[in-house]
Structure formats: C-alpha cells, structure tokens
Amino acid sequence: MVNLAQVIGFLIITTVAFVASAGGEQVVTYVFGDSLTEVGNNNYLQSLAKSNYPFYGIDYEGGKATGRFTNGRTIGDIISEKLGIESPPPYLSLVPNDDAILKGVNYASGGAGILNDTGLYFIQRMTFDDQINSFEKTKEAIKAKIGQAAAEKHVNEAVYFIGMGSNDYVNNFLQPFLAAGQQYTHDEFVELLASTLGEQFTRLHQLGARKIVFHGLGPLGCIPSQRVKSTRGICLKQVNLWVQQFNSKVKKLVDNLNKHLPYAQMTFADTYPLVLDLIENPKAYGFKISNTSCCNVDTSVGGLCLPNSKLCTNRTEYVFWDAFHPTDAANAVLADRIFATLFHQTASSPAPAPTPARKFISRKHRN
C-alpha cells in the first residue's frame, strides 16, 4: 500500500523535474546534512572533521579536494545534475548578501548530528540546529533582496534535502566513551532523536519550508568503521536493527507532520534497503568489494583517507571510499536508485489534502 509520504515524495520530485526540464524558473534546493552531503563548509571551521586534502576529490572535476568526503561527487551533487542545476555552494563560502543564495545553499557539515552534543570531539561543526539558524539568516538576506512577499514564495517553493542522524549513532551513541550510550537505553535514545527532529522539522516549516525530503539512515552496521568491531568482519546486526528502529520512528513522524502542519509536503526517502542491497550484492551493480574501503584507512585514528594512505588500484570497483563514506561510483548508483524508487512506488497515486495544523509536542530532553 502506498502511503502519504511516498505520494508527496513523488510529487516533489516530479514537480522539480518538470520545472527543470521545462526551462522555467530556476529550481532552488537547500541541503542540510553531515559529511555524506557536505561540499566544503568545514573548510571554514576549526574542525577535526575535514576532507580538504588528498586523496579526497581525486575523481572530482579538476582532481582536487573540495571538502567533500569522497573521491568524487556526493549523492547531492548527482541529484543536482539530474535536475539540471548546479550543486548548491557551501553556506560558509558565501557573503551574507550573495546573489547565490537565491539559487540554493548547502549547509551540511561533517560531524553534524540531530543532537547538539553529537560530534563534540570534532571541535567545530554545524549541528542541525546550527544549520537551521543559518537558513534563517539566509531567509532574512533573501527578504532584504526581494521583499517579504517574494521571499516567502521563494522559500515555500524551494525543495529541502535533509540527511541527518548517522553521526548521532557513529559519533555519539555507539562510542563507549561518550555519555549518550551510557545515559540512555536505545529506546530512550531513539525517542530523543525523533522528538528533537520533530521540533527541528517544525521550525523549518515555520521558516517557510514546505517540500522536505528526509533521507533515512543506511545500514550503519555494515560500514567499514563498524565491521572492524566484528572478529569476522561482518555487519553488526544490532546496529542495523537500531537504525531500522530509527527509520521507522522518523517515517511515522513525517506522516504525522504532514497531517498536522498546513501545506507540509514532507517525504521520508528510505535508503536503507537500497544501500544494503548494494553492499550485499555488489557484483549486480558492477562492483567487486563492499566489505572494506578503497583507501586503506586506519580506523584507530578516525578512519578518514589521509594523504599518506594507500589507495586501491581501481576505485570504481569499491562501494566504500573510506571507513564511512561511499565512492563516487557508489553514490551514482544510489542517486539513480533513489529517483527510480520514488517514481516506481508512487506514480499512480493521488495525494490527499492536508488536515488543519496541530501543535507539535515538545521533547522533554534538550541537548
């Protein structure tokens, strides 16, 4: 049975694709997230979570590191290509009144999480709350440029891509030396994540965001940084079960917000089965290796691809670039499948009308 979130997801993607192909107004996208979608914000911060050095970017245009945590393009870059638009620039690279803000901005920051405590040991990073604060400043700058009425229309019609939550597990709950894993059971932790995310979505809605696509978490138990914790190098089943519980909670949250926030068009893009299939059946997608990374990383010092690391001989044969992030080739496959899944699941289903707004219940704990 097709649900409301799937229908809305299809309507968002088809509307954006139609505008892009029709040569009409510029499609505007605002991107929020972590290192999976970052394009260089952390280059401007005193952060330990950086990728502005070789061998990152070796397969990107120009062959130079840009702050993307992969050897080439992010999924966001590839989605932008599909929409016929340029990938939005990093927020911190722009001056406050830059004309580029009218075409879209990327706020994503490596190490960022839903919770403000997540990624503290990276020193500086833009948490999801920080990114929303930055978007609020962007909106104020847009109002100064084109006036309040036009600015409201602009932010209402833009599309918001959000990918957040991986660091709340990998760099928070799953770290034995951090408080979250000791302070909360997983049931309590996932409730905290969902309630926090609900308030963050509601705030974005109050700022004018209507068309929101939230990318669920992939099977984190299968990324190289987690596999090394297994004596046999296999996926960590418990971690994957926790991730699926998080995804289920967020999907229900999105369905609830669509019913209660006026004109909300939020969708949950379930990337878990797509990524898991790519990892479990790499040869079906033209890959050879999915259980370790192309870059021979040292997980004891972070798992990033340092300049003195040794690379694999054929980067297109690997699903993972470093201990956390997919390769350019894997991102291309995932971007294709995300689009195909949204179209396939929802092409024949009409979208129901939104119901009146209802106040969202605030979280009890705030980080």
mmCIF file with all atom_site columns, all heavy atoms in Angstrom, residues 167-184:
data_model
loop_
_atom_site.group_PDB
_atom_site.id
_atom_site.type_symbol
_atom_site.label_atom_id
_atom_site.label_alt_id
_atom_site.label_comp_id
_atom_site.label_asym_id
_atom_site.label_entity_id
_atom_site.label_seq_id
_atom_site.pdbx_PDB_ins_code
_atom_site.Cartn_x
_atom_site.Cartn_y
_atom_site.Cartn_z
_atom_site.occupancy
_atom_site.B_iso_or_equiv
_atom_site.pdbx_formal_charge
_atom_site.auth_seq_id
_atom_site.auth_comp_id
_atom_site.auth_asym_id
_atom_site.auth_atom_id
_atom_site.pdbx_PDB_model_num
ATOM 1   N N   . ASN A 1 167 ? 25.742 10.456 12.422 1.00 0.00 ? 167 ASN A N   1
ATOM 2   C CA  . ASN A 1 167 ? 26.706 10.804 13.465 1.00 0.00 ? 167 ASN A CA  1
ATOM 3   C C   . ASN A 1 167 ? 26.141 10.642 14.866 1.00 0.00 ? 167 ASN A C   1
ATOM 4   O O   . ASN A 1 167 ? 26.896 10.427 15.826 1.00 0.00 ? 167 ASN A O   1
ATOM 5   C CB  . ASN A 1 167 ? 27.212 12.239 13.275 1.00 0.00 ? 167 ASN A CB  1
ATOM 6   C CG  . ASN A 1 167 ? 28.209 12.345 12.144 1.00 0.00 ? 167 ASN A CG  1
ATOM 7   O OD1 . ASN A 1 167 ? 29.155 11.581 12.067 1.00 0.00 ? 167 ASN A OD1 1
ATOM 8   N ND2 . ASN A 1 167 ? 27.980 13.292 11.246 1.00 0.00 ? 167 ASN A ND2 1
ATOM 9   N N   . ASP A 1 168 ? 24.816 10.750 14.995 1.00 0.00 ? 168 ASP A N   1
ATOM 10  C CA  . ASP A 1 168 ? 24.216 10.545 16.304 1.00 0.00 ? 168 ASP A CA  1
ATOM 11  C C   . ASP A 1 168 ? 24.424 9.116  16.789 1.00 0.00 ? 168 ASP A C   1
ATOM 12  O O   . ASP A 1 168 ? 24.415 8.849  17.992 1.00 0.00 ? 168 ASP A O   1
ATOM 13  C CB  . ASP A 1 168 ? 22.724 10.882 16.261 1.00 0.00 ? 168 ASP A CB  1
ATOM 14  C CG  . ASP A 1 168 ? 22.482 12.360 16.016 1.00 0.00 ? 168 ASP A CG  1
ATOM 15  O OD1 . ASP A 1 168 ? 22.747 13.155 16.931 1.00 0.00 ? 168 ASP A OD1 1
ATOM 16  O OD2 . ASP A 1 168 ? 22.077 12.716 14.892 1.00 0.00 ? 168 ASP A OD2 1
ATOM 17  N N   . TYR A 1 169 ? 24.630 8.220  15.849 1.00 0.00 ? 169 TYR A N   1
ATOM 18  C CA  . TYR A 1 169 ? 24.990 6.847  16.197 1.00 0.00 ? 169 TYR A CA  1
ATOM 19  C C   . TYR A 1 169 ? 26.512 6.654  16.191 1.00 0.00 ? 169 TYR A C   1
ATOM 20  O O   . TYR A 1 169 ? 27.122 6.356  17.208 1.00 0.00 ? 169 TYR A O   1
ATOM 21  C CB  . TYR A 1 169 ? 24.322 5.867  15.223 1.00 0.00 ? 169 TYR A CB  1
ATOM 22  C CG  . TYR A 1 169 ? 22.871 5.643  15.541 1.00 0.00 ? 169 TYR A CG  1
ATOM 23  C CD1 . TYR A 1 169 ? 21.882 6.412  14.928 1.00 0.00 ? 169 TYR A CD1 1
ATOM 24  C CD2 . TYR A 1 169 ? 22.487 4.698  16.476 1.00 0.00 ? 169 TYR A CD2 1
ATOM 25  C CE1 . TYR A 1 169 ? 20.547 6.224  15.246 1.00 0.00 ? 169 TYR A CE1 1
ATOM 26  C CE2 . TYR A 1 169 ? 21.150 4.504  16.800 1.00 0.00 ? 169 TYR A CE2 1
ATOM 27  C CZ  . TYR A 1 169 ? 20.187 5.270  16.180 1.00 0.00 ? 169 TYR A CZ  1
ATOM 28  O OH  . TYR A 1 169 ? 18.864 5.095  16.510 1.00 0.00 ? 169 TYR A OH  1
ATOM 29  N N   . VAL A 1 170 ? 27.132 6.842  15.022 1.00 0.00 ? 170 VAL A N   1
ATOM 30  C CA  . VAL A 1 170 ? 28.549 6.520  14.856 1.00 0.00 ? 170 VAL A CA  1
ATOM 31  C C   . VAL A 1 170 ? 29.443 7.353  15.763 1.00 0.00 ? 170 VAL A C   1
ATOM 32  O O   . VAL A 1 170 ? 30.424 6.852  16.326 1.00 0.00 ? 170 VAL A O   1
ATOM 33  C CB  . VAL A 1 170 ? 28.961 6.701  13.378 1.00 0.00 ? 170 VAL A CB  1
ATOM 34  C CG1 . VAL A 1 170 ? 30.466 6.482  13.200 1.00 0.00 ? 170 VAL A CG1 1
ATOM 35  C CG2 . VAL A 1 170 ? 28.190 5.728  12.491 1.00 0.00 ? 170 VAL A CG2 1
ATOM 36  N N   . ASN A 1 171 ? 29.125 8.622  15.931 1.00 0.00 ? 171 ASN A N   1
ATOM 37  C CA  . ASN A 1 171 ? 29.962 9.513  16.738 1.00 0.00 ? 171 ASN A CA  1
ATOM 38  C C   . ASN A 1 171 ? 29.274 9.997  18.010 1.00 0.00 ? 171 ASN A C   1
ATOM 39  O O   . ASN A 1 171 ? 29.575 11.081 18.512 1.00 0.00 ? 171 ASN A O   1
ATOM 40  C CB  . ASN A 1 171 ? 30.416 10.712 15.889 1.00 0.00 ? 171 ASN A CB  1
ATOM 41  C CG  . ASN A 1 171 ? 31.428 10.304 14.846 1.00 0.00 ? 171 ASN A CG  1
ATOM 42  O OD1 . ASN A 1 171 ? 32.474 9.738  15.172 1.00 0.00 ? 171 ASN A OD1 1
ATOM 43  N ND2 . ASN A 1 171 ? 31.128 10.584 13.583 1.00 0.00 ? 171 ASN A ND2 1
ATOM 44  N N   . ASN A 1 172 ? 28.358 9.176  18.500 1.00 0.00 ? 172 ASN A N   1
ATOM 45  C CA  . ASN A 1 172 ? 27.702 9.502  19.765 1.00 0.00 ? 172 ASN A CA  1
ATOM 46  C C   . ASN A 1 172 ? 27.289 8.214  20.475 1.00 0.00 ? 172 ASN A C   1
ATOM 47  O O   . ASN A 1 172 ? 28.051 7.672  21.261 1.00 0.00 ? 172 ASN A O   1
ATOM 48  C CB  . ASN A 1 172 ? 26.507 10.426 19.535 1.00 0.00 ? 172 ASN A CB  1
ATOM 49  C CG  . ASN A 1 172 ? 25.978 11.049 20.817 1.00 0.00 ? 172 ASN A CG  1
ATOM 50  O OD1 . ASN A 1 172 ? 26.215 10.557 21.907 1.00 0.00 ? 172 ASN A OD1 1
ATOM 51  N ND2 . ASN A 1 172 ? 25.266 12.161 20.710 1.00 0.00 ? 172 ASN A ND2 1
ATOM 52  N N   . PHE A 1 173 ? 26.115 7.691  20.162 1.00 0.00 ? 173 PHE A N   1
ATOM 53  C CA  . PHE A 1 173 ? 25.564 6.554  20.903 1.00 0.00 ? 173 PHE A CA  1
ATOM 54  C C   . PHE A 1 173 ? 26.467 5.327  20.885 1.00 0.00 ? 173 PHE A C   1
ATOM 55  O O   . PHE A 1 173 ? 26.556 4.592  21.879 1.00 0.00 ? 173 PHE A O   1
ATOM 56  C CB  . PHE A 1 173 ? 24.183 6.195  20.345 1.00 0.00 ? 173 PHE A CB  1
ATOM 57  C CG  . PHE A 1 173 ? 23.449 5.158  21.150 1.00 0.00 ? 173 PHE A CG  1
ATOM 58  C CD1 . PHE A 1 173 ? 22.867 5.486  22.369 1.00 0.00 ? 173 PHE A CD1 1
ATOM 59  C CD2 . PHE A 1 173 ? 23.355 3.846  20.708 1.00 0.00 ? 173 PHE A CD2 1
ATOM 60  C CE1 . PHE A 1 173 ? 22.196 4.537  23.120 1.00 0.00 ? 173 PHE A CE1 1
ATOM 61  C CE2 . PHE A 1 173 ? 22.687 2.885  21.451 1.00 0.00 ? 173 PHE A CE2 1
ATOM 62  C CZ  . PHE A 1 173 ? 22.104 3.230  22.666 1.00 0.00 ? 173 PHE A CZ  1
ATOM 63  N N   . LEU A 1 174 ? 27.151 5.068  19.765 1.00 0.00 ? 174 LEU A N   1
ATOM 64  C CA  . LEU A 1 174 ? 27.974 3.868  19.629 1.00 0.00 ? 174 LEU A CA  1
ATOM 65  C C   . LEU A 1 174 ? 29.394 4.029  20.168 1.00 0.00 ? 174 LEU A C   1
ATOM 66  O O   . LEU A 1 174 ? 30.181 3.082  20.137 1.00 0.00 ? 174 LEU A O   1
ATOM 67  C CB  . LEU A 1 174 ? 28.042 3.439  18.153 1.00 0.00 ? 174 LEU A CB  1
ATOM 68  C CG  . LEU A 1 174 ? 26.711 3.039  17.520 1.00 0.00 ? 174 LEU A CG  1
ATOM 69  C CD1 . LEU A 1 174 ? 26.896 2.710  16.039 1.00 0.00 ? 174 LEU A CD1 1
ATOM 70  C CD2 . LEU A 1 174 ? 26.097 1.855  18.257 1.00 0.00 ? 174 LEU A CD2 1
ATOM 71  N N   . GLN A 1 175 ? 29.710 5.228  20.657 1.00 0.00 ? 175 GLN A N   1
ATOM 72  C CA  . GLN A 1 175 ? 31.039 5.464  21.227 1.00 0.00 ? 175 GLN A CA  1
ATOM 73  C C   . GLN A 1 175 ? 31.007 5.190  22.733 1.00 0.00 ? 175 GLN A C   1
ATOM 74  O O   . GLN A 1 175 ? 30.298 5.876  23.464 1.00 0.00 ? 175 GLN A O   1
ATOM 75  C CB  . GLN A 1 175 ? 31.507 6.891  20.957 1.00 0.00 ? 175 GLN A CB  1
ATOM 76  C CG  . GLN A 1 175 ? 31.752 7.215  19.501 1.00 0.00 ? 175 GLN A CG  1
ATOM 77  C CD  . GLN A 1 175 ? 32.985 6.500  18.939 1.00 0.00 ? 175 GLN A CD  1
ATOM 78  O OE1 . GLN A 1 175 ? 33.711 5.827  19.662 1.00 0.00 ? 175 GLN A OE1 1
ATOM 79  N NE2 . GLN A 1 175 ? 33.216 6.647  17.653 1.00 0.00 ? 175 GLN A NE2 1
ATOM 80  N N   . PRO A 1 176 ? 31.757 4.207  23.193 1.00 0.00 ? 176 PRO A N   1
ATOM 81  C CA  . PRO A 1 176 ? 31.681 3.819  24.616 1.00 0.00 ? 176 PRO A CA  1
ATOM 82  C C   . PRO A 1 176 ? 32.157 4.896  25.585 1.00 0.00 ? 176 PRO A C   1
ATOM 83  O O   . PRO A 1 176 ? 31.781 4.888  26.753 1.00 0.00 ? 176 PRO A O   1
ATOM 84  C CB  . PRO A 1 176 ? 32.603 2.589  24.683 1.00 0.00 ? 176 PRO A CB  1
ATOM 85  C CG  . PRO A 1 176 ? 33.535 2.736  23.521 1.00 0.00 ? 176 PRO A CG  1
ATOM 86  C CD  . PRO A 1 176 ? 32.718 3.393  22.441 1.00 0.00 ? 176 PRO A CD  1
ATOM 87  N N   . PHE A 1 177 ? 32.959 5.854  25.080 1.00 0.00 ? 177 PHE A N   1
ATOM 88  C CA  . PHE A 1 177 ? 33.488 6.883  25.983 1.00 0.00 ? 177 PHE A CA  1
ATOM 89  C C   . PHE A 1 177 ? 32.608 8.127  26.032 1.00 0.00 ? 177 PHE A C   1
ATOM 90  O O   . PHE A 1 177 ? 32.943 9.102  26.711 1.00 0.00 ? 177 PHE A O   1
ATOM 91  C CB  . PHE A 1 177 ? 34.913 7.280  25.565 1.00 0.00 ? 177 PHE A CB  1
ATOM 92  C CG  . PHE A 1 177 ? 35.035 7.743  24.140 1.00 0.00 ? 177 PHE A CG  1
ATOM 93  C CD1 . PHE A 1 177 ? 34.800 9.058  23.787 1.00 0.00 ? 177 PHE A CD1 1
ATOM 94  C CD2 . PHE A 1 177 ? 35.381 6.840  23.139 1.00 0.00 ? 177 PHE A CD2 1
ATOM 95  C CE1 . PHE A 1 177 ? 34.905 9.480  22.474 1.00 0.00 ? 177 PHE A CE1 1
ATOM 96  C CE2 . PHE A 1 177 ? 35.490 7.247  21.813 1.00 0.00 ? 177 PHE A CE2 1
ATOM 97  C CZ  . PHE A 1 177 ? 35.258 8.573  21.488 1.00 0.00 ? 177 PHE A CZ  1
ATOM 98  N N   . LEU A 1 178 ? 31.476 8.118  25.325 1.00 0.00 ? 178 LEU A N   1
ATOM 99  C CA  . LEU A 1 178 ? 30.560 9.258  25.350 1.00 0.00 ? 178 LEU A CA  1
ATOM 100 C C   . LEU A 1 178 ? 29.334 8.951  26.204 1.00 0.00 ? 178 LEU A C   1
ATOM 101 O O   . LEU A 1 178 ? 28.945 7.796  26.372 1.00 0.00 ? 178 LEU A O   1
ATOM 102 C CB  . LEU A 1 178 ? 30.135 9.620  23.923 1.00 0.00 ? 178 LEU A CB  1
ATOM 103 C CG  . LEU A 1 178 ? 31.259 10.164 23.027 1.00 0.00 ? 178 LEU A CG  1
ATOM 104 C CD1 . LEU A 1 178 ? 30.726 10.449 21.628 1.00 0.00 ? 178 LEU A CD1 1
ATOM 105 C CD2 . LEU A 1 178 ? 31.864 11.435 23.620 1.00 0.00 ? 178 LEU A CD2 1
ATOM 106 N N   . ALA A 1 179 ? 28.705 10.011 26.703 1.00 0.00 ? 179 ALA A N   1
ATOM 107 C CA  . ALA A 1 179 ? 27.642 9.854  27.697 1.00 0.00 ? 179 ALA A CA  1
ATOM 108 C C   . ALA A 1 179 ? 26.368 9.216  27.155 1.00 0.00 ? 179 ALA A C   1
ATOM 109 O O   . ALA A 1 179 ? 25.702 8.469  27.860 1.00 0.00 ? 179 ALA A O   1
ATOM 110 C CB  . ALA A 1 179 ? 27.310 11.222 28.309 1.00 0.00 ? 179 ALA A CB  1
ATOM 111 N N   . ALA A 1 180 ? 26.018 9.506  25.888 1.00 0.00 ? 180 ALA A N   1
ATOM 112 C CA  . ALA A 1 180 ? 24.723 9.075  25.369 1.00 0.00 ? 180 ALA A CA  1
ATOM 113 C C   . ALA A 1 180 ? 24.533 7.566  25.464 1.00 0.00 ? 180 ALA A C   1
ATOM 114 O O   . ALA A 1 180 ? 23.454 7.077  25.826 1.00 0.00 ? 180 ALA A O   1
ATOM 115 C CB  . ALA A 1 180 ? 24.548 9.541  23.931 1.00 0.00 ? 180 ALA A CB  1
ATOM 116 N N   . GLY A 1 181 ? 25.588 6.805  25.116 1.00 0.00 ? 181 GLY A N   1
ATOM 117 C CA  . GLY A 1 181 ? 25.478 5.356  25.142 1.00 0.00 ? 181 GLY A CA  1
ATOM 118 C C   . GLY A 1 181 ? 25.320 4.796  26.537 1.00 0.00 ? 181 GLY A C   1
ATOM 119 O O   . GLY A 1 181 ? 24.858 3.667  26.719 1.00 0.00 ? 181 GLY A O   1
ATOM 120 N N   . GLN A 1 182 ? 25.715 5.563  27.544 1.00 0.00 ? 182 GLN A N   1
ATOM 121 C CA  . GLN A 1 182 ? 25.600 5.130  28.930 1.00 0.00 ? 182 GLN A CA  1
ATOM 122 C C   . GLN A 1 182 ? 24.376 5.731  29.624 1.00 0.00 ? 182 GLN A C   1
ATOM 123 O O   . GLN A 1 182 ? 23.800 5.133  30.531 1.00 0.00 ? 182 GLN A O   1
ATOM 124 C CB  . GLN A 1 182 ? 26.863 5.534  29.697 1.00 0.00 ? 182 GLN A CB  1
ATOM 125 C CG  . GLN A 1 182 ? 28.148 4.961  29.108 1.00 0.00 ? 182 GLN A CG  1
ATOM 126 C CD  . GLN A 1 182 ? 29.392 5.520  29.783 1.00 0.00 ? 182 GLN A CD  1
ATOM 127 O OE1 . GLN A 1 182 ? 29.334 5.948  30.933 1.00 0.00 ? 182 GLN A OE1 1
ATOM 128 N NE2 . GLN A 1 182 ? 30.512 5.530  29.086 1.00 0.00 ? 182 GLN A NE2 1
ATOM 129 N N   . GLN A 1 183 ? 23.980 6.907  29.157 1.00 0.00 ? 183 GLN A N   1
ATOM 130 C CA  . GLN A 1 183 ? 22.876 7.631  29.801 1.00 0.00 ? 183 GLN A CA  1
ATOM 131 C C   . GLN A 1 183 ? 21.511 7.097  29.376 1.00 0.00 ? 183 GLN A C   1
ATOM 132 O O   . GLN A 1 183 ? 20.564 7.122  30.164 1.00 0.00 ? 183 GLN A O   1
ATOM 133 C CB  . GLN A 1 183 ? 22.983 9.117  29.442 1.00 0.00 ? 183 GLN A CB  1
ATOM 134 C CG  . GLN A 1 183 ? 21.932 10.000 30.082 1.00 0.00 ? 183 GLN A CG  1
ATOM 135 C CD  . GLN A 1 183 ? 22.127 11.461 29.705 1.00 0.00 ? 183 GLN A CD  1
ATOM 136 O OE1 . GLN A 1 183 ? 23.072 11.818 29.000 1.00 0.00 ? 183 GLN A OE1 1
ATOM 137 N NE2 . GLN A 1 183 ? 21.237 12.320 30.174 1.00 0.00 ? 183 GLN A NE2 1
ATOM 138 N N   . TYR A 1 184 ? 21.406 6.614  28.124 1.00 0.00 ? 184 TYR A N   1
ATOM 139 C CA  . TYR A 1 184 ? 20.121 6.188  27.588 1.00 0.00 ? 184 TYR A CA  1
ATOM 140 C C   . TYR A 1 184 ? 20.145 4.724  27.150 1.00 0.00 ? 184 TYR A C   1
ATOM 141 O O   . TYR A 1 184 ? 21.172 4.225  26.683 1.00 0.00 ? 184 TYR A O   1
ATOM 142 C CB  . TYR A 1 184 ? 19.749 7.021  26.353 1.00 0.00 ? 184 TYR A CB  1
ATOM 143 C CG  . TYR A 1 184 ? 19.705 8.520  26.564 1.00 0.00 ? 184 TYR A CG  1
ATOM 144 C CD1 . TYR A 1 184 ? 20.711 9.338  26.060 1.00 0.00 ? 184 TYR A CD1 1
ATOM 145 C CD2 . TYR A 1 184 ? 18.653 9.106  27.252 1.00 0.00 ? 184 TYR A CD2 1
ATOM 146 C CE1 . TYR A 1 184 ? 20.676 10.715 26.239 1.00 0.00 ? 184 TYR A CE1 1
ATOM 147 C CE2 . TYR A 1 184 ? 18.607 10.480 27.441 1.00 0.00 ? 184 TYR A CE2 1
ATOM 148 C CZ  . TYR A 1 184 ? 19.619 11.283 26.930 1.00 0.00 ? 184 TYR A CZ  1
ATOM 149 O OH  . TYR A 1 184 ? 19.580 12.634 27.110 1.00 0.00 ? 184 TYR A OH  1
#
